[in-house]
Amino acid sequence: ALPESIVKLKKLKTLWLGHNRLRALPPNLTQLKQLDWRRNYLSSILDENPLTNPPLAICRLGFAAIDQWFAEN
């Protein structure tokens, strides 16, 4: 699991989460505005994680979609 305190790393630019068996992302992860998660890059960052909260398909759409998913769920 990723701790919600990860958002304290305001200058974080790169974060590789692949192959970690993550099931959920912290809802506040999208506050990391310096983080480079371009659309074509998102799928490889999260590869091989059984994400359900939010689902991987939502994560691949970017931070706006992730924020919307958390707001609706």
Side-chain angles (χ1 to χ4, degrees):
L2 283 176
E4 290 198 20
S5 61
I6 195 167
V7 298
K8 293 180 181 179
L9 303 171
K10 299 291 184 196
K11 294 183 181 183
L12 185 66
K13 293 182 180 182
T14 304
L15 178 63
W16 188 267
L17 300 173
H19 302 273
N20 281 298
R21 296 183 288 173
L22 293 174
R23 294 188 185 281
L25 297 178
N28 58 0
L29 185 66
T30 60
Q31 293 177 15
L32 294 173
K33 301 299 182 194
Q34 298 294 317
L35 196 57
D36 183 10
W37 274 25
R38 290 167 279 175
R39 280 186 175 199
N40 59 345
Y41 191 46
L42 262 175
S43 60
S44 60
I45 288 175
L46 297 169
D47 275 351
E48 302 300 320
N49 283 297
L51 284 170
T52 57
N53 190 19
L56 185 57
I58 298 297
C59 294
R60 287 184 172 151
L61 297 174
F63 276 176
I66 293 170
D67 282 338
Q68 181 178 353
W69 188 90
F70 277 118
E72 293 173 357
N73 294 286

Coordinates of all heavy atoms in Angstrom, one line a residue:
A1 N 0.8 -1.2 0.0 CA 0.0 0.0 0.0 C 0.9 1.2 0.0 O 2.0 1.2 0.6 CB -0.9 0.0 1.2
L2 N 0.4 2.3 -0.7 CA 1.1 3.6 -0.6 C 0.5 4.4 0.5 O -0.8 4.4 0.7 CB 0.8 4.3 -1.9 CG 1.6 3.9 -3.1 CD1 1.1 4.8 -4.3 CD2 3.1 4.2 -2.9
P3 N 1.3 5.0 1.4 CA 0.7 5.8 2.5 C 0.2 7.1 1.9 O 0.7 7.6 1.0 CB 2.0 6.0 3.3 CG 3.1 5.9 2.4 CD 2.7 4.9 1.4
E4 N -0.9 7.6 2.6 CA -1.5 8.8 2.2 C -0.5 10.0 2.4 O -0.6 11.0 1.7 CB -2.8 9.1 2.9 CG -3.8 8.1 2.4 CD -5.2 8.6 2.8 OE1 -5.4 9.8 3.0 OE2 -6.1 7.7 2.8
S5 N 0.5 9.8 3.2 CA 1.5 10.8 3.5 C 2.4 11.1 2.3 O 3.2 12.0 2.3 CB 2.3 10.5 4.7 OG 3.0 9.3 4.5
I6 N 2.3 10.3 1.3 CA 3.1 10.4 0.1 C 3.0 11.8 -0.5 O 3.9 12.3 -1.2 CB 2.9 9.3 -1.0 CG1 4.0 9.3 -2.0 CG2 1.5 9.5 -1.6 CD1 4.0 8.1 -2.9
V7 N 1.8 12.5 -0.3 CA 1.6 13.8 -0.9 C 2.5 14.9 -0.2 O 2.5 16.0 -0.8 CB 0.1 14.2 -0.8 CG1 -0.8 13.3 -1.6 CG2 -0.3 14.3 0.6
K8 N 3.2 14.5 0.8 CA 4.1 15.5 1.4 C 5.4 15.7 0.5 O 6.1 16.6 0.7 CB 4.5 15.0 2.8 CG 3.4 15.1 3.8 CD 3.8 14.6 5.2 CE 2.6 14.6 6.1 NZ 3.0 14.2 7.4
L9 N 5.5 14.8 -0.4 CA 6.7 14.8 -1.3 C 6.3 15.7 -2.5 O 6.2 15.3 -3.6 CB 7.1 13.4 -1.8 CG 7.4 12.4 -0.7 CD1 7.6 11.0 -1.3 CD2 8.6 12.9 0.0
K10 N 6.1 17.0 -2.3 CA 5.6 17.9 -3.2 C 6.5 18.1 -4.5 O 5.9 18.4 -5.6 CB 5.5 19.3 -2.6 CG 4.6 19.4 -1.4 CD 3.1 19.2 -1.9 CE 2.2 19.4 -0.7 NZ 0.9 18.9 -0.9
K11 N 7.7 17.8 -4.4 CA 8.6 17.9 -5.6 C 8.8 16.6 -6.3 O 9.6 16.5 -7.2 CB 9.9 18.5 -5.2 CG 9.8 20.0 -4.7 CD 11.1 20.6 -4.4 CE 10.8 22.0 -3.9 NZ 12.1 22.7 -3.6
L12 N 8.1 15.5 -5.9 CA 8.3 14.2 -6.5 C 7.9 14.3 -8.0 O 6.8 14.8 -8.4 CB 7.4 13.2 -5.8 CG 7.5 11.8 -6.3 CD1 8.9 11.2 -5.9 CD2 6.4 10.9 -5.6
K13 N 8.8 13.9 -8.9 CA 8.6 13.9 -10.3 C 8.4 12.6 -10.9 O 7.7 12.4 -11.9 CB 9.7 14.7 -11.0 CG 9.8 16.1 -10.7 CD 10.9 16.8 -11.4 CE 11.0 18.3 -11.0 NZ 12.0 19.0 -11.7
T14 N 9.0 11.5 -10.4 CA 8.9 10.2 -10.9 C 8.5 9.2 -9.8 O 9.1 9.3 -8.7 CB 10.3 9.8 -11.5 OG1 10.6 10.7 -12.5 CG2 10.2 8.4 -12.2
L15 N 7.6 8.4 -10.1 CA 7.2 7.3 -9.2 C 6.8 6.1 -10.0 O 5.9 6.1 -10.8 CB 6.0 7.8 -8.4 CG 5.4 6.9 -7.4 CD1 6.4 6.6 -6.3 CD2 4.1 7.5 -6.7
W16 N 7.5 5.0 -9.8 CA 7.2 3.8 -10.5 C 6.6 2.8 -9.6 O 7.1 2.5 -8.5 CB 8.6 3.2 -11.0 CG 8.3 2.0 -11.9 CD1 8.3 0.7 -11.5 CD2 8.1 2.1 -13.3 NE1 8.0 -0.1 -12.6 CE2 7.9 0.7 -13.7 CE3 8.0 3.1 -14.2 CZ2 7.7 0.4 -15.0 CZ3 7.8 2.7 -15.5 CH2 7.6 1.4 -15.9
L17 N 5.3 2.4 -9.9 CA 4.6 1.6 -9.0 C 4.3 0.2 -9.6 O 3.6 -0.6 -9.0 CB 3.2 2.2 -8.8 CG 3.2 3.6 -8.1 CD1 1.9 4.2 -8.1 CD2 3.8 3.5 -6.7
G18 N 4.9 -0.1 -10.7 CA 4.7 -1.4 -11.4 C 5.1 -2.6 -10.5 O 6.1 -2.5 -9.8
H19 N 4.4 -3.7 -10.7 CA 4.8 -5.0 -10.1 C 4.9 -5.0 -8.6 O 5.8 -5.5 -7.9 CB 6.1 -5.5 -10.6 CG 6.1 -5.7 -12.1 ND1 5.7 -6.8 -12.7 CD2 6.5 -4.8 -13.1 CE1 5.8 -6.6 -14.0 NE2 6.2 -5.4 -14.3
N20 N 3.9 -4.3 -7.9 CA 3.9 -4.2 -6.5 C 2.6 -4.7 -5.8 O 2.4 -4.6 -4.6 CB 4.1 -2.7 -6.1 CG 5.5 -2.3 -6.1 OD1 6.3 -2.9 -5.5 ND2 5.8 -1.4 -7.0
R21 N 1.7 -5.4 -6.6 CA 0.5 -5.9 -6.0 C -0.4 -4.9 -5.3 O -1.1 -5.2 -4.4 CB 0.8 -7.1 -5.1 CG 1.4 -8.3 -5.9 CD 1.6 -9.4 -5.0 NE 2.7 -9.1 -4.0 CZ 3.1 -9.9 -3.0 NH1 2.5 -11.0 -2.8 NH2 4.1 -9.5 -2.2
L22 N -0.3 -3.7 -5.8 CA -1.2 -2.6 -5.3 C -2.6 -2.8 -5.7 O -2.9 -3.1 -6.8 CB -0.7 -1.2 -5.8 CG 0.6 -0.7 -5.3 CD1 1.0 0.6 -6.0 CD2 0.6 -0.5 -3.8
R23 N -3.5 -2.7 -4.7 CA -4.9 -2.9 -5.0 C -5.6 -1.5 -4.9 O -6.7 -1.3 -5.5 CB -5.6 -3.8 -3.9 CG -5.1 -5.2 -4.0 CD -5.9 -6.1 -3.1 NE -5.4 -7.5 -3.1 CZ -5.6 -8.3 -4.1 NH1 -6.3 -8.0 -5.1 NH2 -5.1 -9.6 -4.0
A24 N -5.0 -0.5 -4.3 CA -5.6 0.8 -4.1 C -4.6 1.9 -4.1 O -3.4 1.7 -3.8 CB -6.4 0.9 -2.8
L25 N -5.0 3.0 -4.6 CA -4.1 4.2 -4.6 C -4.8 5.2 -3.6 O -6.0 5.3 -3.5 CB -4.1 4.9 -6.0 CG -3.4 4.1 -7.1 CD1 -3.5 4.9 -8.4 CD2 -2.0 3.7 -6.8
P26 N -3.9 6.0 -2.9 CA -4.5 6.9 -2.0 C -5.3 8.0 -2.8 O -4.8 8.5 -3.8 CB -3.3 7.5 -1.3 CG -2.1 6.9 -1.8 CD -2.5 5.9 -2.9
P27 N -6.4 8.4 -2.3 CA -7.2 9.4 -3.1 C -6.5 10.8 -3.3 O -6.7 11.5 -4.3 CB -8.4 9.6 -2.2 CG -8.4 8.6 -1.2 CD -7.1 8.0 -1.2
N28 N -5.6 11.1 -2.4 CA -4.9 12.3 -2.5 C -3.6 12.3 -3.3 O -2.9 13.3 -3.5 CB -4.5 12.8 -1.1 CG -3.6 11.9 -0.3 OD1 -3.3 10.8 -0.8 ND2 -3.3 12.2 0.9
L29 N -3.4 11.2 -4.0 CA -2.2 11.0 -4.8 C -2.2 12.1 -6.0 O -1.1 12.6 -6.3 CB -2.1 9.6 -5.4 CG -0.9 9.3 -6.2 CD1 0.4 9.3 -5.4 CD2 -1.0 8.0 -6.9
T30 N -3.3 12.5 -6.4 CA -3.4 13.4 -7.5 C -3.0 14.8 -7.1 O -2.9 15.7 -8.0 CB -4.8 13.5 -8.1 OG1 -5.7 13.8 -7.2 CG2 -5.2 12.1 -8.7
Q31 N -2.7 15.0 -5.8 CA -2.2 16.3 -5.4 C -0.7 16.5 -5.7 O -0.2 17.6 -5.6 CB -2.4 16.5 -3.8 CG -3.8 16.5 -3.4 CD -3.9 16.6 -1.9 OE1 -2.9 16.8 -1.2 NE2 -5.1 16.3 -1.4
L32 N -0.1 15.5 -6.2 CA 1.3 15.6 -6.6 C 1.4 16.1 -8.0 O 1.6 15.4 -9.0 CB 2.0 14.2 -6.5 CG 2.1 13.6 -5.1 CD1 2.6 12.2 -5.1 CD2 3.0 14.5 -4.2
K33 N 1.3 17.4 -8.1 CA 1.2 18.1 -9.4 C 2.5 18.0 -10.2 O 2.5 18.2 -11.4 CB 0.8 19.5 -9.2 CG -0.6 19.7 -8.5 CD -1.7 19.0 -9.3 CE -3.0 19.2 -8.6 NZ -4.1 18.3 -9.1
Q34 N 3.6 17.8 -9.5 CA 4.9 17.7 -10.3 C 5.1 16.3 -10.9 O 6.0 16.1 -11.7 CB 6.1 18.0 -9.3 CG 6.1 19.4 -8.7 CD 6.3 20.5 -9.8 OE1 7.1 20.3 -10.7 NE2 5.5 21.5 -9.8
L35 N 4.3 15.3 -10.4 CA 4.5 14.0 -10.9 C 4.2 13.8 -12.3 O 3.1 14.3 -12.8 CB 3.5 13.1 -10.0 CG 3.8 11.6 -10.1 CD1 5.2 11.3 -9.6 CD2 2.8 10.9 -9.2
D36 N 5.1 13.2 -13.1 CA 4.9 13.1 -14.5 C 4.2 11.8 -14.8 O 4.8 10.7 -14.9 CB 6.3 13.1 -15.2 CG 6.2 13.0 -16.7 OD1 5.1 13.2 -17.2 OD2 7.3 12.8 -17.3
W37 N 2.9 11.9 -15.0 CA 2.1 10.7 -15.3 C 1.3 11.0 -16.6 O 0.1 11.0 -16.7 CB 1.1 10.4 -14.2 CG 1.7 9.5 -13.2 CD1 3.0 9.4 -12.8 CD2 0.9 8.7 -12.3 NE1 3.1 8.6 -11.8 CE2 1.9 8.1 -11.4 CE3 -0.4 8.4 -12.1 CZ2 1.5 7.2 -10.4 CZ3 -0.8 7.5 -11.1 CH2 0.2 6.9 -10.3
R38 N 2.1 11.2 -17.7 CA 1.5 11.4 -19.0 C 0.7 10.2 -19.4 O 0.9 9.1 -19.0 CB 2.5 11.7 -20.0 CG 3.2 13.0 -19.9 CD 4.4 13.1 -20.7 NE 5.5 12.3 -19.9 CZ 6.7 12.1 -20.4 NH1 7.0 12.4 -21.6 NH2 7.5 11.4 -19.6
R39 N -0.4 10.4 -20.2 CA -1.3 9.3 -20.6 C -0.5 8.1 -21.1 O -0.8 7.0 -20.8 CB -2.3 9.8 -21.6 CG -3.4 10.6 -21.0 CD -4.4 10.9 -22.1 NE -5.5 11.5 -21.4 CZ -6.7 11.6 -21.9 NH1 -6.9 11.0 -23.1 NH2 -7.7 12.1 -21.3
N40 N 0.4 8.3 -22.0 CA 1.1 7.2 -22.6 C 2.1 6.5 -21.6 O 2.6 5.4 -21.9 CB 1.8 7.6 -23.9 CG 2.9 8.7 -23.6 OD1 2.9 9.3 -22.6 ND2 3.7 8.9 -24.6
Y41 N 2.3 7.1 -20.5 CA 3.3 6.6 -19.5 C 2.6 5.9 -18.4 O 3.1 5.0 -17.8 CB 4.0 7.9 -19.0 CG 5.2 7.6 -18.1 CD1 6.2 6.7 -18.5 CD2 5.4 8.3 -17.0 CE1 7.3 6.5 -17.7 CE2 6.5 8.1 -16.2 CZ 7.4 7.2 -16.5 OH 8.5 7.0 -15.7
L42 N 1.3 6.3 -18.2 CA 0.5 5.7 -17.1 C 0.4 4.2 -17.1 O 0.6 3.6 -16.0 CB -0.9 6.3 -17.1 CG -1.2 7.4 -16.2 CD1 -2.6 7.9 -16.4 CD2 -0.9 7.1 -14.7
S43 N 0.2 3.6 -18.2 CA 0.0 2.1 -18.2 C 1.3 1.4 -17.8 O 1.2 0.4 -17.0 CB -0.3 1.7 -19.6 OG 0.6 2.0 -20.6
S44 N 2.5 1.9 -18.1 CA 3.7 1.2 -17.7 C 4.0 1.5 -16.2 O 4.6 0.7 -15.5 CB 4.9 1.6 -18.6 OG 5.1 3.0 -18.5
I45 N 3.6 2.6 -15.7 CA 3.9 3.0 -14.3 C 3.1 2.0 -13.4 O 3.6 1.6 -12.3 CB 3.4 4.4 -14.0 CG1 4.4 5.4 -14.6 CG2 3.4 4.6 -12.5 CD1 3.9 6.8 -14.4
L46 N 1.9 1.6 -13.8 CA 1.0 0.8 -13.0 C 1.0 -0.7 -13.4 O 0.2 -1.4 -12.8 CB -0.4 1.4 -13.0 CG -0.5 2.8 -12.4 CD1 -1.8 3.4 -12.7 CD2 -0.2 2.8 -10.9
D47 N 1.8 -1.1 -14.3 CA 1.7 -2.5 -14.8 C 1.8 -3.5 -13.7 O 2.5 -3.3 -12.7 CB 2.8 -2.8 -15.8 CG 2.5 -2.4 -17.2 OD1 1.4 -2.0 -17.5 OD2 3.5 -2.4 -18.0
E48 N 1.0 -4.6 -13.9 CA 1.1 -5.7 -13.0 C 0.7 -5.4 -11.5 O 1.2 -6.0 -10.6 CB 2.5 -6.4 -13.0 CG 3.0 -6.8 -14.3 CD 2.0 -7.8 -15.0 OE1 1.6 -8.7 -14.3 OE2 1.8 -7.7 -16.2
N49 N -0.3 -4.6 -11.4 CA -1.0 -4.3 -10.1 C -2.5 -4.6 -10.2 O -3.1 -4.2 -11.2 CB -0.8 -2.8 -9.7 CG 0.6 -2.5 -9.2 OD1 1.0 -3.1 -8.2 ND2 1.3 -1.7 -9.9
P50 N -3.0 -5.3 -9.3 CA -4.5 -5.7 -9.3 C -5.3 -4.5 -8.8 O -6.1 -4.7 -7.9 CB -4.6 -6.9 -8.5 CG -3.5 -6.7 -7.4 CD -2.4 -6.0 -8.2
L51 N -5.1 -3.3 -9.4 CA -5.9 -2.2 -8.9 C -7.4 -2.3 -9.0 O -7.9 -2.6 -10.1 CB -5.4 -0.9 -9.6 CG -4.0 -0.4 -9.2 CD1 -3.6 0.7 -10.2 CD2 -4.1 0.2 -7.8
T52 N -8.1 -2.0 -7.9 CA -9.5 -1.9 -8.0 C -10.1 -0.6 -7.4 O -11.2 -0.3 -7.5 CB -10.1 -3.1 -7.1 OG1 -9.6 -3.0 -5.8 CG2 -9.8 -4.4 -7.7
N53 N -9.2 0.2 -6.8 CA -9.6 1.4 -6.1 C -8.6 2.5 -6.4 O -7.7 2.7 -5.6 CB -9.7 1.1 -4.6 CG -10.4 2.2 -3.9 OD1 -11.1 3.1 -4.4 ND2 -10.1 2.3 -2.6
P54 N -8.7 3.2 -7.5 CA -9.6 3.0 -8.7 C -9.1 1.9 -9.6 O -7.9 1.6 -9.5 CB -9.5 4.4 -9.3 CG -8.2 4.9 -9.0 CD -7.9 4.4 -7.7
P55 N -10.0 1.4 -10.5 CA -9.5 0.4 -11.4 C -8.4 0.9 -12.3 O -8.4 2.1 -12.6 CB -10.8 0.1 -12.2 CG -11.9 0.6 -11.3 CD -11.4 1.8 -10.6
L56 N -7.6 0.0 -12.8 CA -6.5 0.4 -13.7 C -7.0 1.1 -14.9 O -6.4 2.1 -15.4 CB -5.7 -0.9 -14.1 CG -4.5 -0.7 -14.9 CD1 -3.5 0.3 -14.2 CD2 -3.8 -2.0 -15.3
A57 N -8.1 0.7 -15.5 CA -8.7 1.4 -16.7 C -8.9 2.9 -16.4 O -8.7 3.8 -17.3 CB -10.0 0.8 -17.1
I58 N -9.4 3.3 -15.2 CA -9.6 4.7 -14.8 C -8.2 5.3 -14.6 O -8.0 6.5 -15.1 CB -10.4 4.8 -13.5 CG1 -11.7 4.1 -13.7 CG2 -10.4 6.2 -13.0 CD1 -12.6 4.8 -14.7
C59 N -7.3 4.7 -14.0 CA -5.9 5.3 -13.8 C -5.3 5.6 -15.1 O -4.6 6.6 -15.2 CB -5.0 4.3 -13.0 SG -5.6 4.0 -11.3
R60 N -5.5 4.8 -16.1 CA -4.8 5.1 -17.4 C -5.4 6.3 -18.1 O -4.8 6.8 -19.0 CB -5.0 3.8 -18.3 CG -4.1 2.7 -17.9 CD -4.2 1.5 -18.8 NE -3.2 0.6 -18.4 CZ -3.3 -0.7 -18.6 NH1 -4.4 -1.2 -19.2 NH2 -2.4 -1.6 -18.3
L61 N -6.5 6.8 -17.6 CA -7.1 8.0 -18.2 C -6.5 9.3 -17.6 O -6.8 10.4 -18.1 CB -8.6 8.0 -18.0 CG -9.3 6.9 -18.7 CD1 -10.8 6.9 -18.3 CD2 -9.2 7.0 -20.2
G62 N -5.7 9.2 -16.5 CA -5.1 10.3 -15.9 C -5.7 10.8 -14.6 O -6.7 10.3 -14.2
F63 N -5.0 11.8 -14.1 CA -5.4 12.3 -12.8 C -6.9 12.9 -12.7 O -7.5 12.7 -11.7 CB -4.5 13.4 -12.3 CG -3.2 12.9 -11.7 CD1 -2.2 13.8 -11.3 CD2 -3.0 11.6 -11.4 CE1 -1.0 13.4 -10.7 CE2 -1.8 11.1 -10.8 CZ -0.9 12.0 -10.5
A64 N -7.3 13.5 -13.8 CA -8.7 14.0 -13.7 C -9.7 12.9 -13.6 O -10.7 13.0 -12.8 CB -9.0 14.9 -15.0
A65 N -9.5 11.8 -14.3 CA -10.4 10.7 -14.2 C -10.3 10.0 -12.9 O -11.3 9.5 -12.3 CB -10.0 9.7 -15.3
I66 N -9.1 10.0 -12.3 CA -8.9 9.4 -11.0 C -9.7 10.2 -9.9 O -10.4 9.7 -9.1 CB -7.4 9.3 -10.6 CG1 -6.7 8.2 -11.5 CG2 -7.2 8.9 -9.1 CD1 -5.2 8.2 -11.4
D67 N -9.5 11.5 -10.0 CA -10.2 12.4 -9.1 C -11.7 12.2 -9.2 O -12.4 12.2 -8.2 CB -9.9 13.9 -9.4 CG -8.5 14.3 -8.8 OD1 -8.0 13.6 -7.9 OD2 -8.0 15.3 -9.3
Q68 N -12.2 12.2 -10.4 CA -13.7 12.0 -10.7 C -14.1 10.6 -10.1 O -15.2 10.6 -9.4 CB -14.0 12.0 -12.1 CG -15.5 11.9 -12.4 CD -15.8 12.0 -13.9 OE1 -14.9 12.3 -14.7 NE2 -17.0 11.7 -14.2
W69 N -13.4 9.6 -10.3 CA -13.7 8.3 -9.8 C -13.8 8.3 -8.2 O -14.8 7.8 -7.7 CB -12.7 7.2 -10.2 CG -13.1 5.8 -9.9 CD1 -13.9 5.0 -10.6 CD2 -12.9 5.1 -8.6 NE1 -14.1 3.8 -10.0 CE2 -13.5 3.9 -8.7 CE3 -12.2 5.4 -7.5 CZ2 -13.4 2.9 -7.7 CZ3 -12.2 4.5 -6.5 CH2 -12.8 3.2 -6.6
F70 N -12.8 8.9 -7.6 CA -12.9 9.0 -6.1 C -14.1 9.8 -5.7 O -14.7 9.5 -4.7 CB -11.6 9.5 -5.5 CG -10.5 8.5 -5.4 CD1 -9.3 8.6 -6.1 CD2 -10.7 7.4 -4.5 CE1 -8.4 7.6 -5.9 CE2 -9.8 6.4 -4.3 CZ -8.6 6.5 -5.0
A71 N -14.4 10.9 -6.4 CA -15.6 11.8 -6.0 C -16.9 11.0 -6.1 O -17.8 11.2 -5.3 CB -15.6 13.0 -6.9
E72 N -17.0 10.1 -7.1 CA -18.2 9.4 -7.3 C -18.3 8.1 -6.5 O -19.4 7.6 -6.3 CB -18.3 9.0 -8.8 CG -18.5 10.2 -9.7 CD -18.4 9.8 -11.2 OE1 -18.2 8.6 -11.5 OE2 -18.6 10.7 -12.0
N73 N -17.2 7.7 -6.0 CA -17.2 6.4 -5.2 C -16.8 6.7 -3.8 O -16.6 6.1 -2.9 CB -16.3 5.4 -5.8 CG -16.8 5.0 -7.2 OD1 -17.7 4.2 -7.3 ND2 -16.2 5.5 -8.2

